[in-house]
Amino acid sequence: MKILMIATNNIRKAKVATATLIILIAIATIFLYVGISVLSNLDTFIDGKNAETNGAHFISITDGSHDAAIDQIYESIDSYASSEREEGLMSMSSKYQNVDTGEEAYSLSTLFLNRETPRDISRVTIIDEAAQIPENGVIVPYVLKIANGYKTGDTLKFMVDDNTTELEIAGFYEDLMFASPSNVSMYKLYVGDKQFNDLMNQPVYGSKCSYSAVITDDIDNTEAFESQFTKDLKTVWPERTGSYATLSYGTMKIGVAVFINIIMAVLVAFSIIILAIAAIVIKFSTTTHIENNIKNIGALEAMGYTSGQILGSILVEYLLITAVGFAVGLGASMLISPVITNVVSSSIGLRWTTGIYPRTILISLAVIMIAVLGISYFSAFKIKKITPLTALRNGIETHHFGKNRVPLERTKLSLNMAMGYKSLIFNKRQNLIAGLIIMMLSLVTVFSFAAYYNFAVDKSAMIKLIGLETAEVQVTAMENEETIFDEIAAMPGVADTVKLDSFDGVIKYDKKECGASTRITEDYSRLKVDTCVKGRMPVNDNEIAITSIVLNKLGAQMGDTVSIDYNGITREFLVVGVTQQFNMLGRGAAITTAGMKKLMPAYQEKNLMVYLADGENTKSFVTRINNQYANQNIQTASYFESIEMMLDSFEASIKIVVTGCLGIIAVIIVFVMFLVIRVRILRERIRLGVSKALGFTANQLIGQILISQMPVIIGASALGAVAGYFATNPLLALMLAANGILNCEFYVDPRLVLFTIIGISLLGLATVLIVANSIRKISPCRMFEEGVD
Amino acid sequence: MENTILKAEMLSKTYSNGSIMQHVLKNLNIDIKAGDFTVIMGSSGSGKSTLLYALSGMDKPTLGKIDFKGEEISKYSNDRLAVFRRKHCGFVFQQIYLNETMSVLDNIIISGLLVSRDKKAIAARAKELLHQVGMTEVCYQKYPSQLSGGEAQRVAIVRALINAPEIVFADEPTGALNSTNAINVLDVMTEVNASGQSIIMVTHDIKTARRANRILYLKDGVIIDELKLGSYVKDDPQRHKILREFLERMGW
Ligand SMILES: Nc1ncnc2c1ncn2[C@@H]1O[C@H](COP(=O)(O)OP(=O)(O)OP(=O)(O)O)[C@@H](O)[C@H]1O
Ligand SMILES: [Mg+2]
């Protein structure tokens, strides 16, 4: 009880420090709890969702020409349990526009299924179902509601070339496999019997397809099912031109979760940074507390308190603060759960429900308690070494007196300069800790600004991380490639063209193998997006560059020789570079056209990336190409638009998160700066009071305070901001390391660094002036007699 | 030397701790003549320090007025008071309060620099005074927390004297000193006083009080009596007896 009394007394006296710590701990709690609860429950959540509708474990969409063979392959795979097949309509070059949301038209492939077909796998449960489903009613993926703001009753224009059909949104469905267009660049839409047959009867809208859904015995190994299936299918159907898509639950699940996992990992990382700031604040306030109260501590010890009891009182103090901060943070997490629900739902495309997770609460509590109490124990531990005598002599041991650098007898400094400078160097250690805090804050500020800029303003660095080319248009030609491609390259409005293909390669190394989307082009230096992070891109026909994810899976590294199988031909490639990409879950590789010709001598580039000149309209260009080559077998698609579309679906959640972080940082900066500066001025109140008594005016003293405080504030914010300039990309790469990202190239505007330094310094200046101004009115005796804070 | 230098009329000071009001000084009238060596005595908590703070313009009285050479300083702004203090007053604090960020010498010089720009002259005078109170050169570059209590007290006294102020306020300046050092310090004070500077000193020590030419006795915030002693004469048994009798009457 005595200890509790001392502790609560300390808390009462140190109001600002207590408030700051409570806020820091509360914020760390929010981030940690939200981050961990989403990260640790996402997997179970998705599995649960999938189980509700008996969601497919594997899906194959083909033109229907090999149905029997495919069924045979299913039967031959051990984990196969059951399957269902139905007829669908595949539309490869469709476009959409929701008339009611005012969005622009965008391209996305479509798979239409008949809503009235009875099915047992991936049953459709309709959300926000229209009271009366109209004849042209369509059930669309849930992500369109949460991320794009579609509503039941909206009119959705479905367009292929110049043909348009208007559909009315009659509800939404959840299906992991088709949860988000960022995962499969395809909508699965359910329409009624009549509408379905209408579309089927108009060949312009697409072609009939065969959609088959499989349930296996082992939901955790659907990727193995997929690779076995792909392998077997190759033998019976080598060219596989009519195979539109194979999707496995495992791959889709990772794909759906990848962005939210990154966001949550960033939140957890953020909470760790805040805990680090809290730790320095604790160190700062215990040091101050001990220095200010060293006489009290000595007196308590002289009275017979053991140093253990006093240490205990400090720990109890922080325990109470942590408990309050944690409770506040937890409460706030519950309050903001609608926002979290929104962020998670819109990035996974499934309706996330935020519950209360007792285990996560315990884990977060443990992490925060251990961090806070550990730090307070270590920073307060030196109390154990204080004997009553040293304590009562006012901490002789806490200062190491160097040489008197500015003897007033000789100095050329002005009086105020000399005094300010003396207190600056006298409080070296305090200044060091205060500077460290300000440095961290300034670093985090630059980092958050940079993150905001690159996520929300200029997305080119993000696009680079994704690893796709920034070509506006992609042209695929099945015949006359050479002529067509040369003609397109010479067209007005075309800035550049590059022939770039890709195929699903299987890369082998030392008995291990791993699938990788392998790119083929003649000269990688002509690509606009450089994905290489180590070594170089392939130049010769025996060279390959591979993503770090694939290399890790294979256990190979740069300089090793890997092999690729292609239709029975095996060729060896030397790994000359490491690449990175979010796209294809980070599984990628790159070889040259010459390299591809070694695998397939007859290989001919079929895919052309077209970069349009500035101001050229993508849509009209696509139409122009389609008209010009109307009787050739080519496909033209707006390429970059769909990447942007995919980025847009994350933009909302990223903006919420980043804006939230920026706001929180601003609050933290104000509080922590206020605390640090206030404590430093209060520490000096006796010195200031005596100086005032000796005849210094308030202005002289404020001048001295500025001289003793501002160099630390300006210096630390400058150091922190410059460190932020250099550390932003490495830090980001560290956070994204699990996604195979080794190197980020976020743009950090140097003006931002300057802005941060000036901003934090001004904030510091304002705080110093506000706090220092209070010494104007106080009489000298009050300053050294009354204990404050 | 009959001209009044400092005059307090109806001086009152009240502290309020929450709802409890404490009247520490009650309607005091004090007249300090130029060249006076005034000692204030009284039991602990009677308001001696409070009185010194008020008289030196360090704290504003709750009621009443204080005149310095006919100017009402109790009306001054804080900054004007600061300038008044640096020009006319020297102060020795009961708790000493040296600036712990500076060496002994700098602690003294910093006060001197408030009044004069002649660093050399100030430093020379500081060393001279330090020598007079028995401090050796070893101490010049030490920091306050490296000093003994008595050493610190002597540095504080030198700091108060550095500008040769017209009034020296000293709150128990010999409290931490042994008799030899106390005598050194008091000799310096007496010398200063002889050159015309007024001294107002709080003490609990009869030997120290003997130096004064007047003693004010404070009880519960009221001056209950005053003793006039005349100029200090060394080893005067009569002076000692009168003082002792006075204090016995006061219930000392
Ligand atoms: N800042 C303050 N706030 C409230 N009360 C105060 C304050 N300063 C002094 N007091 C009270 O005023 C009374 C007189 O205090 P003061 O310091 O003047 O006594 P003193 O005569 O100097 O005593 P001592 O001989 O012990 O130094 C005391 O009861 C003290 O508690
Ligand atoms: Mg006193």
Side-chain angles (χ1 to χ4, degrees), chain A residues 1-60:
Chain A
M1 267 305 109
K2 280 178 301 196
I3 287 180
L4 198 65
M5 243 170 63
I6 301 176
T8 47
N9 191 38
N10 286 342
I11 291 177
R12 254 204 309 278
K13 281 202 306 206
K15 289 192 200 76
V16 182
T18 308
T20 308
L21 272 178
I22 287 180
I23 288 180
L24 284 173
I25 291 168
I27 293 169
T29 305
I30 297 175
F31 285 175
L32 200 60
Y33 175 72
V34 169
I36 295 180
S37 65
V38 175
L39 282 175
S40 63
N41 294 298
L42 194 59
D43 203 59
T44 334
F45 168 79
I46 293 177
D47 285 349
K49 267 274 171 217
N50 198 56
E52 278 174 25
T53 57
N54 191 29
H57 296 182
F58 176 81
I59 286 170
S60 156

Side-chain angles (χ1 to χ4, degrees), chain A residues 182-229:
Chain A
S182 65
N183 220 9
V184 203
S185 311
M186 185 190 291
Y187 280 158
K188 178 170 75 169
L189 302 181
Y190 292 96
V191 288
D193 202 37
K194 170 143 193 317
Q195 180 71 55
F196 184 74
N197 287 322
D198 270 3
L199 288 168
M200 282 291 244
N201 293 333
Q202 301 178 63
V204 284
Y205 284 126
S207 42
K208 206 163 102 170
C209 71
S210 169
Y211 168 91
S212 94
V214 175
I215 295 288
T216 69
D217 294 331
D218 186 1
I219 195 165
D220 293 325
N221 278 310
T222 54
E223 284 156 301
F225 186 96
E226 182 185 13
S227 64
Q228 185 64 43
F229 174 83

Side-chain angles (χ1 to χ4, degrees), chain A residues 785, chain B residues 15 17 22 24 43-50 94 172 204:
Chain A
E785 276 187 347
Chain B
Y15 288 118
N17 275 320
Q22 189 186 359
V24 180
S43 55
S44 178
S46 56
K48 305 181 295 292
S49 298
T50 308
Q94 189 172 6
E172 293 202 44
H204 285 290

